[in-house]
């Protein structure tokens, strides 16, 4: 027997998030990525959804494709903002008909310029709606924000609204990505103190492109620690060094999360296999 267990035990469950491709080139890329990530035996994969209906059918088509072509158990993301109860009802019927067992239920964000907020204001209302219409048919995942949702006035009310999603019927949560594990551990502790018992799975964003990461992080309120930002800036156009450093940082984050009790890891793949594989190989997978 090894003196030290491998850093990421083989039993640590994984899930991978994809976005729905819109062009033939993107579709081919998703297929290549799905083939490469299949071997890790993910518990499920998920497919994002564009609020306001722009990628409405892309999501369901992609979910169907991931199930049928790649044999995954694919979970659609479903956001309520900008949608009517009737539109959401139809989508739920479709997802049930194509055999989806899990849904990632979100409020979503309206694209700028889109006026109507929709019939359901918050994710908690969407979850209550799904439960009312379909009982326990779907396993419902929700979003969680260890560094606080960017539109939230304060961390405590954000936590209270997170608990409201659990009280409405969420089975599990996936966090926004972060690079400071303490933010996750504090969030989980605070949620447990409020009586939240569901698994809270850290969302992991591999690092491969600094300017893209900076843009995403500004939009979603994720903090890039100064020491990481400074190192990335120093690498400039040296893409290989950014990738190596990024994979080391994220693998170390994952090790600490697993050691601290994270139930599984959810990777934001951005439809690329390599950055996720670079992290997983450092974890002994
Ligand atoms: P909610 O939980 O409804 O919270 C939104 C805001 O409202 C928070 O600030 C909260 O504190 C506040 N709030 C909640 N309830 C109340 C209340 N009763 N009264 C007052 N304030 C309240 N976006 C997409 O468009 N498509 C995707 O596919 C997608 N996938 C995601 C996957 C994950 C794992 C995560 C973490 C996020 C994802 N997002 C996606 C982004 C998400 O839609 C945005 O962060 C959105 O702004 C919030 O969604 P939510 O479900 O967390 O909202």
């Amino acid at each position: 027997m090894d003196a030290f267990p491998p850093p990421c035990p083989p039993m640590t469950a994984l899930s991978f998030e994809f976005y729905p491709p819109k062009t033939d080139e993107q579709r081919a890329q998703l297929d290549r990525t799905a083939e490469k990530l299949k071997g890790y035996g993910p518990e499920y994969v998920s497919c994002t959804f564009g609020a306001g209906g722009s990628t409405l059918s892309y999501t369901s088509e992609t979910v169907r494709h991931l199930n049928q072509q790649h044999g995954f158990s694919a979970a659609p993301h479903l956001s309520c903002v900008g949608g009517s109860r009737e539109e959401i009802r139809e989508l739920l019927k479709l997802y049930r008909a194509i055999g989806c067992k899990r849904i990632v239920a979100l409020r979503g964000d309206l694209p700028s310029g889109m006026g109507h907020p929709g019939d359901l204001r918050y994710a908690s209302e969407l979850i209550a709606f799904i439960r009312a219409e379909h009982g326990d048919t779907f396993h419902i995942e929700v979003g969680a924000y260890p560094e606080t949702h960017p539109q939230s006035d304060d961390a405590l009310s954000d936590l209270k609204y997170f608990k409201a999603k659990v009280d409405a019927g969420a089975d599990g949560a996936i966090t926004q990505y972060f690079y400071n594990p303490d933010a996750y551990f504090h969030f989980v502790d605070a949620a447990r103190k409020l009586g939240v018992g569901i698994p809270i799975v850290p969302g992991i964003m591999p690092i491969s492109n600094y300017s893209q990461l900076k843009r995403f992080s500004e939009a979603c309120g994720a903090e890039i620690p100064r020491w990481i930002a400074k190192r990335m800036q120093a690498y400039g156009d040296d893409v290989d060094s950014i990738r190596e450093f990024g994979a080391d940082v994220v693998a170390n984050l994952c090790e600490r999360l697993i050691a601290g009790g994270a139930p599984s890891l959810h990777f934001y793949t951005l439809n690329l296999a390599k950055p996720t594989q670079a992290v997983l190989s450092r974890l002994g997978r």
Side-chain angles (χ1 to χ4, degrees), residues 130-202:
I130 299 173
R131 288 290 179 232
E133 299 263 317
H134 292 277
D136 289 334
T137 301
F138 299 110
H139 177 107
I140 301 177
E141 301 284 351
V142 292
Y145 301 84
E147 295 181 331
T148 307
H149 185 265
Q151 289 155 14
S152 181
D153 293 339
D154 70 274
L156 295 182
S157 61
D158 201 34
L159 198 62
K160 188 179 84 183
Y161 295 132
F162 171 64
K163 182 174 186 301
K165 296 195 275 196
V166 179
D167 293 343
D171 298 298
I174 306 166
T175 75
Q176 184 57 274
Y177 68 87
F178 55 87
Y179 295 105
N180 178 355
D182 285 340
Y184 171 81
F185 294 128
H186 278 287
F187 181 83
V188 173
D189 274 355
R192 299 293 177 242
K193 281 186 187 131
L194 288 181
V196 169
I198 61 167
I200 300 173
V201 174

Side-chain angles (χ1 to χ4, degrees), residues 1-126:
M1 205 174 112
D2 290 335
F4 298 100
C8 180
M11 65 286 271
T12 300
L14 301 172
S15 51
F16 299 125
E17 182 172 311
F18 302 122
Y19 66 84
K22 293 179 191 160
T23 62
D24 286 346
E25 197 182 320
Q26 288 181 353
R27 273 186 274 278
Q29 182 186 45
L30 176 59
D31 281 336
R32 285 193 300 274
T33 297
E35 279 303 320
K36 287 180 188 154
L37 296 182
K38 204 182 281 185
Y40 295 97
E43 186 185 6
Y44 71 97
V45 298
S46 76
C47 180
T48 61
F49 180 90
S54 61
T55 61
L56 206 128
S57 63
Y58 290 119
T59 300
S60 58
E61 283 162 19
T62 306
V63 161
R64 212 192 286 256
H65 179 77
L66 289 165
N67 285 345
Q68 290 175 356
Q69 195 69 29
H70 295 286
F72 285 127
S73 168
H77 292 208
L78 174 58
S79 62
C80 57
V81 75
S84 67
R85 277 192 179 76
E86 205 38 51
E87 284 164 343
I88 295 167
R89 182 173 285 127
E90 287 309 309
L91 265 183
L92 289 169
K93 271 194 215 157
L94 172 66
Y95 290 141
R96 190 171 179 159
I98 62 179
C100 295
K101 300 274 184 285
R102 187 186 299 252
I103 283 182
V104 183
L106 303 148
R107 184 198 68 178
D109 292 307
L110 272 185
S112 58
M114 271 196 67
H116 190 260
D119 288 346
L120 306 171
R121 284 169 308 163
Y122 297 108
S124 53
E125 294 177 11
L126 173 62

